[in-house]
Amino acid sequence: MNLSYFNKKNEATDFFRCISRGPNDYYWVGTTNGLIKCSLLEDIPLNSYERYNTDLSYNMSLANNYISCLCFDESGVLWIGTENGVEKYDPYNNQFKMTRIEGALGKSIPIVSSFGKTYDNNIIIGTHSNGIHLKKGNDISLISSEELRIVSIYSSDGKIFYCGLWNGKVARFDYISSKIEILEVGVKDAPIFSILKNSKGHLLIGSIGEGLVDYDIKTKKYHQVKPKELGKQEINRIAQHREGIIWLATEDGIFKYNPKTESLQNYICHLKDSDGLSNEKIKDIIIDEKGTVWASTRHGLNFYDPLSDDFIHVKEPKELKNIWVTDMATDSIGQLWLNMNFNQIGKYNPQKKELNVFSVNNWLRSNIYNKRGFLFSDKKHIYLGGENSLISFNPFSLKENVYSPAPLISDFRVRNKSVFPGDTIN
C-alpha cells in the first residue's frame, strides 16, 4: 500500500486511538481521521507532521481513515488495523515519489509518454494527448498546445528538443525561446518512437511501421534508409556506437547498420540454440560506458558478444530470464536499471550477476499506447511515467529488505487430507 500524504493546517481536533514508534524513530499515531507521522509527539500541536488519509481517486491509499491499532513487524513493515480490516504499509515499496500532473479544466488527466532533460537540469515531460509539460523544481506546467500528442523526446544539447508525434511528424521545441515548429520528416502516418542525431548531424527517425528515415536538419530533406529491408519495420529505439555503428531495436530482432559501408545485419532469436536473442520483440537498446550493447525483450535481457557476433541472453539470476523489460538505463557504477512490466523496477549488477527488484505503481505497459517513458536524469534522479503521474526516485538511496522470516507450516497434507502428529499413514 502507498499512502497519500496531506499536511493541512488548522485541522479539526483528532481523537487519538493508538501510537507506535517505527525502527527509524518516527512516531505513527492512529486517529479517527487517518494516520499521523511525526518526529516528536510534541510536534503535533505545532502542525509539524505528515498526515495520511483515504484518497478515493487513488486505489493504493488507506481504505478507511478510522485507525484502531498499529504494529511494526521485525522487517519494519507497519500493519494498520482499520474499520475496513487490516492494511500494510511497506516502507520498501514506498520509496518512490509520485507527482500528479493536472489536466486543464474539462480535459483528461495527462498520461506520461516520454522525458527529456534540459541543459539547466529541468525535466521536459511528453504526454500522449495533452502536450508538453515542464518540471521546474516542484512545479509542473504546460508549455505547449494540449493538441500535441507526444510519443518520444530527444535532445543532444538540452536546448533543442525533437518530439516524435503520433501522426508521423516531429515537433521541434526550442527551450530557450519556447517556440515550437512542426516538421515533415517523411513519415506518412505512423508514431515516431525514436530519434537520434548521427555523426553527420542528421536526425535518424524510427517509426512504428514505416522504418528508418534520415532527415537533414539544415536542408529539411529526407530519405528512407534501406527501404527494402527496413521500410516496414517497427523501430522502438535507436542507439549509436562509438564507431558510428547504428543499432536498431525492432519487433523483428535487432539490426546493425554501418552508414559507411551501408551494410545491414539482422540478429534474431534462435529457438533451437542457447545463443541468440531470447526474444525478437526488442523494446530497448542501450550502450554502456564500456561499449557493451544491451537489449531488452519480453523475455529478459541480452548483450552483444563481438567474438561470436551474436547476442547472448542473460541466464543468471534465473529470475531475469522471462521478465518483460521495456526500458533500460545505466548508472555511474555500471549497474543497469530496468523498467519492467507489472509494477517493477530492477537493479542489475552485471559483474556480480545480481538482481534486486523494487515494487512501484507504474502499471502495465502491454502495448504501444501505454508505454510511459524512462529517464536516468543524473546520479540522484530516475524518472518514469506512472498511471496519471510522474514517478521519481534516487537510485542510490533505495533500501532493501534483508529480513527473511522463519518458515511457518500451517498444514501438512497427504492425498489432499490433513495429517496430524500421531496419525498413521498407510
Side-chain angles (χ1 to χ4, degrees), residues 155-350:
S155 177
S156 60
D157 60 7
K159 297 178 181 179
I160 301 298
F161 292 84
Y162 295 95
C163 306
L165 305 181
W166 283 96
N167 61 5
K169 295 179 176 60
V170 171
R172 180 186 182 274
F173 171 62
D174 188 325
Y175 175 65
I176 304 298
S177 66
S178 297
K179 293 182 179 179
I180 295 177
E181 178 186 3
I182 304 300
L183 306 177
E184 296 281 353
V185 295
V187 178
K188 295 179 181 179
D189 188 23
I192 294 175
F193 260 44
S194 188
I195 302 173
L196 177 76
K197 183 180 286 187
N198 65 13
S199 55
K200 292 183 179 180
H202 294 190
L203 293 182
L204 293 178
I205 299 170
S207 66
I208 300 299
E210 295 188 32
L212 184 67
V213 171
D214 184 304
Y215 179 83
D216 189 325
I217 297 174
K218 294 181 180 179
T219 65
K220 296 187 178 181
K221 294 182 179 181
Y222 49 80
H223 68 272
Q224 274 200 318
V225 177
K226 291 288 182 179
K228 183 178 179 180
E229 298 88 349
L230 299 175
K232 295 183 179 180
Q233 284 295 331
E234 299 181 6
I235 299 176
N236 293 316
R237 190 76 69 195
I238 307 171
Q240 181 173 251
H241 216 278
R242 288 190 291 263
E243 295 82 5
I245 300 297
I246 303 299
W247 295 90
L248 306 175
T250 79
E251 294 294 296
D252 292 313
I254 294 173
F255 288 87
K256 181 173 71 173
Y257 174 62
N258 188 330
K260 295 181 180 179
T261 63
E262 295 191 352
S263 61
L264 186 70
Q265 186 172 351
N266 186 205
Y267 299 88
I268 59 175
C269 175
H270 307 297
L271 296 178
K272 296 182 180 181
D273 300 330
S274 58
D275 295 333
L277 292 167
S278 56
N279 187 272
E280 291 183 0
K281 306 290 185 182
I282 313 300
K283 300 305 176 182
D284 198 5
I285 190 164
I286 62 172
I287 302 169
D288 65 19
E289 292 184 356
K290 295 182 178 179
T292 303
V293 180
W294 296 91
S296 65
T297 76
R298 289 190 177 191
H299 293 143
L301 196 61
N302 303 257
F303 66 91
Y304 177 69
D305 177 26
L307 296 179
S308 63
D309 189 24
D310 206 349
F311 279 82
I312 298 175
H313 45 272
V314 176
K315 299 177 183 178
E316 295 182 23
K318 62 181 181 180
E319 291 83 6
L320 190 57
K321 287 183 65 176
N322 293 314
I323 289 179
W324 186 343
V325 182
T326 61
D327 310 90
M328 300 180 292
T330 59
D331 63 26
S332 58
I333 60 175
Q335 298 178 124
L336 292 179
W337 287 88
L338 312 175
N339 192 14
M340 304 184 296
N341 215 346
F342 307 110
N343 302 312
Q344 293 180 326
I345 293 290
K347 180 180 70 174
Y348 175 64
N349 188 320

Side-chain angles (χ1 to χ4, degrees), residues 23 31 40 55 80 91 113 122 187 190 256 271 277 284 362 410 425:
T31 78
L40 298 171
D55 183 353
I80 306 164
S113 63
N122 293 320
V187 178
K256 181 173 71 173
L271 296 178
L277 292 167
D284 198 5
N362 56 346
S410 59
I425 302 174

